[in-house]
Structure formats: structure tokens, C-alpha cells
Amino acid sequence: MVGDHSGFPRLLGDVGGTNARWAWQAAAGEALTHVRSLAAGDHATLAESIAAYLRQEKLAAPRDVAFGIATAVTGDSVRMTNHHWSFSIAELQARLGARRLRVLNDFEALAHAVPALGPADLCATGGGAPVPGAGLAVIGPGTGLGVSGLVSDGHGGWRVIVGEGGHVTLPAADSREASLLAVLRERFDHVSAERALSGPGLVNLYEAACVLDGETPAPLDPSQVMSRAFGDDTQCTQAVTTFAALLGNVAGNLALTLGARGGVFIGGGIVPRLGSRFAQLPFRERFVGKGRFRAYLEAIPTWVITAESPALLGAARALDNGH
Amino acid sequence: MTTFNAITAFDSPRLLADVGGTYARFTLETAPGVFERAATLRCADHEDFHAAVSAYLSTLQVGHIQHAAVAIANPVEGDEVRMTNYHWQFSIEAMREKLGFDTLVVVNDFTALAMALPRLTSADKRQVGGGLARERSVVGLLGSGSGLGVSGLIPADDGWIALGTEGGHTSFSPRDERELAILNFAWEHLPSRDGPPPGASSPTKGRPPEADLGAHKHVSFERLLSGPGLELVYRALAERAGVRAASGLSAPEITRRALGGTDPVCADTLDAFCAMLGTAAANLAVTLGALGGIYIGGGIVPRLGETFDRSRFRQRFEDKGRFSAYLAQIPTWVITAESATFHGVSAILAAQLRNLSGGASSAILGQIQRVRPNLSPAERRVADHVLAHPRSVLNDPVAEIARASHVSQPTVIRFCRSLGCEGLSDFKLRLASGLTGTVPVTHTQVTRDDSVLELGTKVLGNTASSILQVRDHLNRDSIDRAIALLVKARRVDCFAVGYYGAVAQDAQYKLLRLGLPSGVYVDPRVQAMAAQVLGPGDVALIISSSGRKDELLAVADAARERGANVVAITASQTPLARKADVTLIVDHVEDVDLHVPMVSRILHLLMVDIVTVGVAMQRQEPLTPPAGGAYDELAPQPRARTVAPGVSAAAPLANITSHSH
């Protein structure tokens, strides 16, 4: 069936702020092999990272290439926000000698992966059964707050919706959150959801809680806030709890906006690290707590993506879908 | 477009309606995009929707109305329509019958307005602020009226996908002190739905915060950005200003006083309203990546005129901190055309009627849509091109179709074969040929509220439309080849699993009556054994709706290895279809996880009938009498043999079908 349109072998990638993870797909329908992470700091350019990977794994030149990258992709020129790599898509394609090169925003890649994720890749956090053919939403706190969505095109395919959904204005659901918001506004003026729902956001929430409680904040990084929560540290516990509550609120807004009755998927680096404790936090409660729309949201399943590198799968599926 | 439209008036005018919480607007569409005799009726003056439609039509001298479409300020799902802000409620199907229409389509008014957006000209809208729309990008829509409607359009190959959103119910995000005061006021004064007011349980230090977080109340954007919202914001800001709020001030009155510059609290209210709408519009724009622009409709904003243009709306829209540049490039428009919703309803009705009309071309387009996910990426590009430009494909040579689809010419031919056509000319013939005797049936959903009669009508209608589809897709070549294999077969064994066992037994019964040695196997282990004793000259007839059952695929493999031929009755583009020597295609999608197969089983039975009729006509021997000897006519009519398969089916088939037990 594939005929003269074999785009294999394929090189697939997931390029983040600190690591570039690469994988190989030899033929249609085959599993990904040669999965390897390379530190971004070890290579001056993205093309060099790819060359090093192919050399180390003793692989020939790929025919098709696709990767997700943690930055906005709006034209030929791509620049990473968090480090020095920048490149032209057309030049990279010429240099690789690839027949096709798809460069996707990382949450665009993640959205492509979502319909293919199985029970082993997901951890359910409540809700009913997905409505077949309905939209899906993806939200992921990590270095920033990534947001994307998928809508069915009615012919069995999907369209990815990708914008800058992490930059919606942060809502407040009770007077404590309203006070936290007031503290954050003094610092940032516009307080986007990302200011609270990300690694740096966790620290922001911790520091704002300290201001409200008249405590002096300790210089903590996001992992320290997470590890001190659930112990004696009131403000760290507050920060993580508020984080989950706000994530529930913003994810509920996203589900309403996209009509995502097929489910909401939580990606990004932070939530999976909270592990089973996430279930005890008020995420789901806030997700459904939208007055008249409680029943609508109660029916929507929410999942935490636990798969190791779903963006690699998403890159492969973006090539399969041809867009 | 315009000149074309002007000369193609509809046979009968189409009735379009736009039903809001207070008013129902009606118009007649006499030709595409031509609206006449518009009228506005107060909902409160009419007992129900039927009475309002009748009142409108009674003022006009029009003949029979065949098709109608209604936009309604409510979510529309299933057959039952219930208005949240008003007491009208009805079943769409019952209303259609009562009004005597052939078609009645009911859609959400914001879905309709969204579908109108690509058709709006610069005369229908007014830009507020800067920005430039990117072509073929996502567009968003907000409309503030009795509620806050939100919608979005996603570009797809052949048009737009309307997003089914409830974005008006997202949680309000306060941006400044004034808005925080409004939020606090709303927490205190809105009826509690989600627990006690949040202020009631301020956390004390050291107490687990979870206890506090449970007690919150949801304040959506709709609570503030709507007519009732304006009234709430007015009261909040009067309290904040320390002045006495005028009691019972309505939204239109607040707007009037604000525009007149006579009341500072009303002016403050409108100022806050425009700013908060800016926040909501920007939230929608970043969430959807709406680089195609954001449209503002609804009852409130278009009446504000240039005051809205000078308001804080656009400034707030662009005020997203680090992402201000992203928003500055996105244009915002106010929809000024009164008839915008009608344009959208009209487009949805036209699309619905195109789907309903049983033309052969639309049938094959439907088939392309169904098989599209299973095509190779290259063939899918041809499919997309055909779906987008069916008329030009009809006239284009293969080289042009290949060029326009960005594929090679052999790929175009492969695409045609994937659809069961012999080649491009055969494909074009099916695309072009009309279908005679169209029946106005389509696939409709059976719902829990259906009466027994409706239920029967829907089940019959669904089955009839599916049978017509199979008729349109009959591939004469594969039927001929299947008949040829069966006629010279030494033995025909029928294989199926589950519900399709009944179809296999039916096939066996007919084959035995035709004097063909035949067995039927429905148990996978026995199937495996039976396949191992097949040999050259034998035929395995495999019946499977999905074409993906492992056990049946194994039977196909075993049969072919042993030199037998495989005839499959299954869906196109499936593993079983690829393994078979001849495939009789039945493409019917049924959700077998939820329901027992109904329509597909009947289509499979029909396929069995078609080939057995063909076999009966070609075989010289008379029918074998059944064990009971309960029939008397032995030989098929010699005349029937000369007729093409499927045409004079009744005569020879009568021998088989008229003697049931």
C-alpha cells in the first residue's frame, strides 16, 4: 500500500531545554528503536546533535525527519527560548538530505501522540468515559505551561490546535487565591496562568504564600518546594495545593473552551513527579467546580501522561497524518 | 458568486429563524444568500415555537416550505431542544412533522454565527485596533447578550470545523483592583451553587489548606459579560464608589446612561465591561491560537458603536505581559451585519441538504470520506483533492489531477482502484452519474425519547439509505468474478464469527439449494481445522464486517496456501480485503462495541443474495429439492439467465426465497 511513498527510515526527536532525545523508526508500523538522549549543552547546533546521534548509533541518513521542540514554530526560522540553538528549517532539511522535515511545537507533537496513548501510558484521575470523536485537550506544566488541543475533522483525522494557551490570565476561585493573585500582580503586572502553573510558578506561589503569611521565603527551587510539601512546611504545602487547585481551574477552562469531551491529558514534567500524591490534591475538585457546568465537566475524564517520551510518538504520527 | 446566486432561485423559499431569549427573528431565503421578508417577533407573545412560526408564515403569501433551519440560543444535542433562558421546548422531529417541512435543522446560534464568519465582507464588520488576519487560520467568536456565547472555527481541507465550545463558562480572571472588587461582590451576591461563600473560611496559619480550597464559588465570564452581568457589575461598582445603586436598572438602561454620559457609575460599568471582554477575547485568542482574528457579536457590543472602539477593550486584549506582541498581530472585529446569523444558518442548511441528496457523486464522496483514514498518505492527498474539487476532477486529465494532488499518476490510478473502480474513467463515471429515484433518507440517530413509530421509521430509514449506498458502490467486476469462482467450485465453505454466523448459515442454505456442497463454520477452532482440508477448486467464503478478525485472516491464509480461492464479504481497505481473491465490498460503519450489528448484517445478507442469484442463473442444473420436498418448480426460467446479474433477480430467486419454513 505504501508504494513509492516510503518515508522510511525516520528520525524522530523531542528537543527540550536541556536534552534532545532522538529515536529511529525503520519502517511503517514498527516500534521506535535507538532511543537516546543527548545533552543540548554538548552540541553547538541542533544539526550537530543529530549528526552525533546518527554517528553513535551507526545509522544511515533518514528519509523523513520530525521533531517537537520547546518553542513557538511560526515560520522558517526557529529559535529556542531557553538556550542558544536556532536554525532555518529549510537549511536543516537540505543539510540532512531529508525528503520531509516536520518541525513541531512540543505540545503540538504531544497532541498528535495523545490518541495513540494506551492505559500503560496514562494514569486516570477521574471522570467518565470519553465521548468518541469529541475534542481532546492537553495541558502541561514544566519549564513553562504548554497547552494544545485536538479536534476531529469528521473524516477520521485530527486537527491540532496550538496557540499560547499558557498565557491566559490566571483566574482566582476563592479569597485566598485572590490575595495570592494580588501579590503576584505586584511583581509581574499581568499574571498569566504560566506564572503559577510551571516550575518557576511553583516557586512564585511559595513566595507569595510567604508574603501573605508574613514569613521570609527561603531560596528554593521547584523540586525543593515539591519535596518540602506534605511535611512541616506550611507554605510549600500551600504552594503545591494551590498549584493543583489552579491547574484544575485552568484545565477546566480549557476543557470548556475546546469542548474537550474526549478528555484532558496532563503532560509536562511537574505533575508526574507528584506521583500518587497528586490524587489527594484538589485538582479534580476544581476541574469540575464550575457551577451549572459541573455535570458537563464531571463526565470528562482527566489523565496524567506517564509515558516516557510521548512527543517522539507524536512526531511519528504527525508524519503519518501528513500535516 | 453573486451573479450565479442571483439566477438560481430555490424551488421553494427556505425558512430561516434566529431564536434568542427575548426575540425570534425570521426570514425567507429565496436564493442562496438572498434574504427577504424579515420579521422580528417577541417570544413572550407566543406560546411555543410552533405558534411563532405559524404567526410569521400567516403574514406571508408563500407556498409550501420544504426546508427550514433554526439557530437557537442553547446547546443543541440530540432531538430534544430546551431553551435555558426561556420556556419553549420541543422535539425537532415532531416539530418538523407538525410544520409539514421536509427538513428542519436546529443549530446553536453561535455555531451558526461562527459558520457565517468566513462569508462576512468588510461591510459586515468593523475592525477595532490593529492586527492583520493570517489566511486560513483559526478564528474565534465571542457574543455577549443574554449569555456569553463563544465559538471557534478550525480550518480543514474542505472548509471549516466549528468548535463545540462552552467557553463562556470559563472562570473569570480579574486583572486589576476594580475587577477584584467585582469578583468579591459576585462571590457575596450570586446564589451559591458550589458551597458557601469563599470568604467564610479564610485559612488560618498551620491549618491544612485543603479545607479552605473546597469552599469556593464559580464566577464565570458569562456571569459578568452578559445583560444580567452588566446589572451585577453596576451594583458592584456602585457599592465600590459608595453610592446608592438605582434599583432595578436594566442592562439597556445602564448602557443608555453610560453612552449619554449622565451617570458616572454606569460609565464605570461599561468601561469595566469592555475591559473584561478584552480579557476574555485574549484568553480565547491565545488558547485557540486564533491568528485568523477574533469576532465580537451578540446583542450588547454592536449597539455601543464607536464608544466600544474607544474603550479599553483592545488595550486589555493586547495586555498579556510577555505575549503582548503575539496578541497585537491578531485583529479584532465587531460584527455589524444584522443578518450574520442567517448567513450561517443558511450555510449549515445547504450543507445538510447536500448530504441528504442521494446523488451518486455525493455517495462516492461519502465513500471516499469513509475509506480516507485507511488510504496511504499519497492516496489520501488524491482523496482530499477530489473531496475539495469534485467538479474540476470530473474534467481534468490524470496528469492534472496528479499535479494538483502532488502525487504521481500511478498513485491517482491506485486511488481509483482502492475505491473499487477499474480506473480513472470508471471512477469519473461514478462521480458524474446521477442516481435515479432518490429517496430522502439519511442516517439519523435513534434516541431514548423516540416513540415506537419514530423508532421504526428511523431503523427502516437507516437501513434503506445504507442499501442504496451499497447499490451505488456495487462493483460489477468483482461480483462477476465471485460468481465465476462459485459456479466452478467443487465445494464452498462459509466462515464467520459472532453475529455474522447467521449470514454464513444463510449463504450455506442457499448454496446447498443450488446443489453446491457447502459447510458453515463459526467456531474458530473448527474453522482452523476446516481451512486445513480445503484444496484447489474449493472456495472459502469469509464474511466479516471489520475485516480484521485474526481467526478469519488465518482461515484466508490457510485456504490460499492450500490452493483454494477466497471470496470475502467485508469492508474495503481491510486486511481481509487484501488477502481475498475477490472482495465484495460492504462499507458500513457500526459501533459494534455498543450495539449489535443490524444494518451491516442486512447488507451482508444482500451481498449473499446477489451472488447466489448470479450463480443460480449460470448453473445449468436445477435446484436441489429441500429434504422435505416442499416445492414443485425445479428449473429456473431459461429467460432469466440472459439478464444481467441483479436486474431480474426476482425470478430465479423466487425459487429460493418463496419457500421458507
Side-chain angles (χ1 to χ4, degrees):
Chain A
M1 289 307 293
V2 176
D4 57 349
H5 279 277
S6 162
F8 292 90
R10 283 171 172 179
L11 172 70
L12 305 166
D14 178 11
V15 180
T18 40
N19 287 303
R21 183 183 283 257
W22 301 106
W24 195 254
Q25 191 180 22
E30 288 200 8
L32 308 189
T33 57
H34 301 86
V35 182
R36 177 186 275 264
S37 267
L38 300 180
D42 290 353
H43 304 282
T45 64
L46 186 128
E48 282 179 26
S49 176
I50 292 175
Y53 166 77
L54 296 176
R55 207 166 46 238
Q56 286 170 21
E57 297 293 325
K58 301 191 171 54
L59 294 166
R63 289 210 73 191
D64 280 7
V65 180
F67 56 86
I69 187 163
T71 190
V73 181
T74 50
D76 179 66
S77 171
V78 181
R79 182 179 300 272
M80 295 202 63
T81 20
N82 297 325
H83 65 73
H84 55 280
W85 285 356
S86 64
F87 59 94
S88 142
I89 295 175
E91 277 174 27
L92 181 64
Q93 180 170 6
R95 182 159 170 189
L96 294 171
R99 197 192 60 141
R100 267 204 296 174
L101 169 62
R102 277 286 273 130
V103 181
L104 306 118
N105 165 268
D106 52 348
F107 270 77
E108 192 180 357
L110 190 54
H112 277 292
V114 155
L117 295 179
D121 306 318
L122 300 167
C123 171
T125 61
V131 176
L136 310 169
V138 183
I139 185 165
T143 317
L145 177 63
V147 170
S148 58
L150 274 185
V151 288
S152 163
D153 66 4
H155 311 157
W158 296 94
R159 296 278 151 179
V160 174
I161 296 174
V162 62
E164 292 292 347
H167 293 274
V168 294
T169 305
L170 186 68
D174 61 27
S175 50
R176 172 77 180 184
E177 284 178 12
S179 310
L180 287 169
L181 197 57
V183 173
L184 292 176
R185 199 162 44 233
E186 279 173 28
R187 255 176 87 183
F188 300 114
D189 189 28
H190 177 254
V191 184
S192 65
E194 183 175 278
R195 292 293 191 193
L197 300 175
S198 59
L202 260 179
V203 179
N204 293 339
L205 288 174
Y206 162 73
E207 289 169 357
C210 290
V211 170
L212 285 185
D213 293 348
E215 302 275 340
T216 311
L220 302 180
D221 67 21
S223 341
Q224 288 168 320
V225 174
M226 279 192 274
S227 58
R228 290 192 187 193
F230 311 106
D232 292 338
D233 193 318
T234 311
Q235 284 74 35
C236 283
T237 308
Q238 278 260 353
V240 172
T241 309
T242 308
F243 172 88
L246 289 171
L247 183 61
N249 191 341
V250 173
N253 286 350
L254 180 65
L256 287 170
T257 305
L258 299 182
R261 292 183 299 153
V264 175
F265 296 78
I266 304 166
I270 294 186
V271 175
R273 281 168 63 188
L274 291 169
S276 59
R277 285 179 300 188
F278 185 68
Q280 276 116 53
L281 294 169
F283 166 79
R284 181 78 199 176
E285 189 185 320
R286 279 304 174 77
F287 178 81
V288 301
K290 305 245 182 223
R292 281 181 291 172
F293 276 77
R294 176 179 278 275
Y296 180 95
L297 289 160
E298 273 171 348
I300 296 180
T302 45
W303 287 287
V304 177
I305 302 172
T306 53
E308 181 72 14
S309 207
L312 292 176
L313 176 64
R317 285 177 52 90
L319 287 174
D320 292 340
N321 290 338
H323 54 76
Chain B
M1 262 320 264
T2 326
T3 41
F4 172 76
N5 286 346
I7 52 165
T8 51
F10 297 133
D11 293 340
S12 82
R14 296 176 180 177
L15 173 74
L16 306 179
D18 176 10
V19 182
T22 321
Y23 296 103
R25 300 195 304 133
F26 293 92
T27 194
L28 292 180
E29 187 180 18
T30 51
V34 180
F35 306 126
E36 290 175 11
R37 332 270 300 254
T40 302
L41 274 60
R42 279 185 69 88
C43 294
D45 294 344
H46 303 276
E47 194 182 324
D48 57 14
F49 179 68
H50 182 262
V53 175
S54 306
Y56 170 66
L57 290 178
S58 70
T59 64
L60 310 171
Q61 298 291 316
V62 286
H64 177 60
I65 300 226
Q66 278 187 301
H67 309 300
V70 183
I72 200 158
N74 249 74
V76 179
E77 220 170 303
D79 181 61
E80 192 66 22
V81 177
R82 191 188 304 262
M83 301 199 59
T84 23
N85 298 331
Y86 203 68
H87 61 270
W88 290 359
Q89 74 178 73
F90 56 90
S91 141
I92 299 171
E93 181 55 23
M95 183 60 70
R96 183 192 67 76
E97 274 185 30
K98 204 169 163 191
L99 289 166
F101 299 155
D102 294 344
T103 316
L104 175 63
V105 177
V106 179
V107 297
N108 169 264
D109 58 349
F110 264 84
T111 307
L113 191 55
M115 290 311 285
L117 298 182
R119 301 174 165 211
L120 296 184
T121 64
S122 54
D124 300 326
K125 60 189 182 185
R126 190 178 76 242
Q127 186 167 357
V128 179
L132 194 62
R134 197 180 282 195
E135 287 284 312
R136 296 293 294 165
S137 287
V138 176
V139 298
L141 166 68
L142 291 111
S144 171
S146 39
L148 177 66
V150 172
S151 194
L153 284 186
I154 319 293
D157 308 326
D158 47 353
W160 300 85
I161 304 166
L163 203 58
T165 146
E166 297 292 349
H169 299 276
T170 54
S171 301
F172 170 60
S173 333
R175 174 66 184 90
D176 56 25
E177 287 308 316
R178 179 171 64 177
E179 290 169 16
L180 206 51
I182 293 169
L183 180 60
N184 273 313
F185 185 89
W187 274 335
E188 276 169 45
H189 291 87
L190 281 177
S192 175
R193 286 176 192 270
D194 271 8
S201 59
S202 286
T204 44
K205 202 176 147 190
R207 217 175 65 189
E210 287 88 339
D212 166 60
L213 284 160
H216 75 286
K217 189 163 22 171
H218 175 56
V219 176
S220 65
F221 272 104
E222 181 177 83
R223 286 289 195 185
L224 308 174
L225 296 175
S226 58
L230 264 177
E231 296 161 22
L232 182 76
V233 173
Y234 168 76
R235 289 196 289 138
L237 294 181
E239 185 185 89
R240 183 166 185 256
V243 301
R244 224 184 120 107
S247 74
L249 214 54
S250 70
E253 181 60 18
I254 293 168
T255 312
R256 201 186 59 76
R257 290 191 188 185
L259 295 177
T262 54
D263 184 329
V265 179
C266 287
D268 198 24
T269 300
L270 196 60
D271 188 61
F273 175 89
C274 295
M276 294 186 293
L277 189 61
T279 299
N283 281 354
L284 182 67
V286 292
T287 304
L288 299 185
L291 299 177
I294 296 285
Y295 291 80
I296 309 290
I300 296 176
V301 174
R303 296 201 185 123
L304 299 179
E306 289 179 2
T307 305
F308 185 73
D309 304 6
R310 289 192 305 266
S311 79
R312 291 165 19 106
F313 167 78
R314 181 72 197 186
Q315 180 214 333
R316 176 64 66 80
F317 181 80
E318 295 184 14
D319 170 31
K320 288 275 185 213
R322 290 172 292 170
F323 274 75
S324 293
Y326 182 86
L327 286 147
Q329 66 179 324
I330 297 176
T332 44
W333 292 285
V334 176
I335 301 168
T336 51
E338 281 267 330
S339 57
T341 306
F342 287 144
H343 279 290
V345 191
S346 150
I348 293 168
L349 177 60
Q352 191 84 358
L353 291 173
R354 265 198 306 280
N355 287 342
L356 294 187
S357 73
S361 60
S362 73
I364 192 166
L365 293 178
Q367 188 197 357
I368 294 171
Q369 289 185 346
R370 279 191 300 281
V371 304
R372 185 184 175 279
N374 299 322
L375 294 172
S376 74
E379 287 178 44
R380 212 177 292 158
R381 282 203 285 279
V382 184
D384 291 341
H385 175 67
V386 173
L387 289 169
H389 310 284
R391 279 184 199 288
S392 61
V393 166
L394 220 45
N395 301 315
D396 288 342
V398 63
E400 177 54 28
I401 298 170
R403 194 199 58 74
S405 314
H406 307 292
V407 298
S408 65
Q409 295 187 19
T411 302
V412 176
I413 305 303
R414 268 200 304 280
F415 163 79
C416 298
R417 297 214 170 115
S418 293
L419 288 162
C421 300
E422 281 153 29
L424 182 62
S425 51
D426 185 27
F427 171 76
K428 283 185 176 178
L429 208 62
R430 273 177 55 194
L431 190 61
S433 64
L435 196 126
T436 52
T438 57
V439 180
V441 286
T442 179
H443 210 86
T444 49
Q445 194 73 38
V446 178
T447 69
R448 199 167 292 175
D449 303 326
D450 285 347
S451 69
V452 175
L453 182 65
E454 284 168 339
L455 213 134
T457 310
K458 283 185 181 178
V459 171
L460 283 170
N462 289 346
T463 308
S465 80
S466 305
I467 290 172
L468 291 180
Q469 259 176 26
V470 169
R471 184 180 73 174
D472 297 342
H473 300 156
L474 272 188
N475 183 314
R476 185 176 162 164
D477 176 56
S478 49
I479 291 171
D480 282 346
R481 279 163 44 219
I483 291 168
L485 283 177
L486 293 175
V487 163
K488 63 180 172 57
R490 222 163 42 114
R491 171 175 183 84
V492 180
D493 279 342
C494 310
F495 298 86
V497 295
Y499 296 103
Y500 296 92
V503 180
Q505 277 181 341
D506 182 74
Q508 181 208 23
Y509 179 77
K510 286 173 180 150
L511 292 166
L512 287 173
R513 290 290 311 274
L514 292 168
L516 262 167
S518 177
V520 57
Y521 304 98
V522 294
D523 177 85
R525 298 227 302 260
V526 184
Q527 282 174 345
M529 289 190 280
Q532 288 303 328
V533 298
L534 289 170
D538 293 341
V539 171
L541 176 63
I542 306 181
I543 298 155
S544 165
S545 182
S546 71
R548 296 178 193 282
K549 289 266 179 284
D550 289 339
E551 51 269 47
L552 294 176
L553 295 175
V555 168
D557 286 336
R560 301 221 21 197
E561 267 167 34
R562 300 190 53 83
N565 289 115
V566 175
V567 174
I569 301 181
T570 189
S572 59
Q573 301 296 318
T574 56
L576 180 58
R578 284 175 210 130
K579 285 183 193 294
D581 295 293
V582 179
T583 304
L584 302 167
I585 291 172
V586 175
D587 276 328
H588 180 79
V589 183
E590 258 177 332
D591 189 351
V592 289
D593 290 339
L594 291 174
H595 312 288
V596 294
M598 295 216 259
V599 174
S600 53
R601 176 211 41 172
I602 288 170
L603 302 181
H604 285 83
L605 284 169
L606 279 172
M607 244 350 145
V608 169
D609 287 352
I610 291 167
V611 287
T612 48
V613 167
V615 172
M617 289 194 298
Q618 293 204 6
R619 280 177 77 90
Q620 299 303 316
E621 303 96 86
L623 291 174
T624 313
Y631 80 99
D632 47 31
E633 193 174 310
L634 291 178
Q637 295 295 319
R639 213 157 39 85
R641 259 178 244 149
T642 61
V643 186
V647 175
S648 68
L653 193 67
N655 290 322
I656 307 170
T657 56
S658 61
H659 292 87
S660 56
H661 304 292

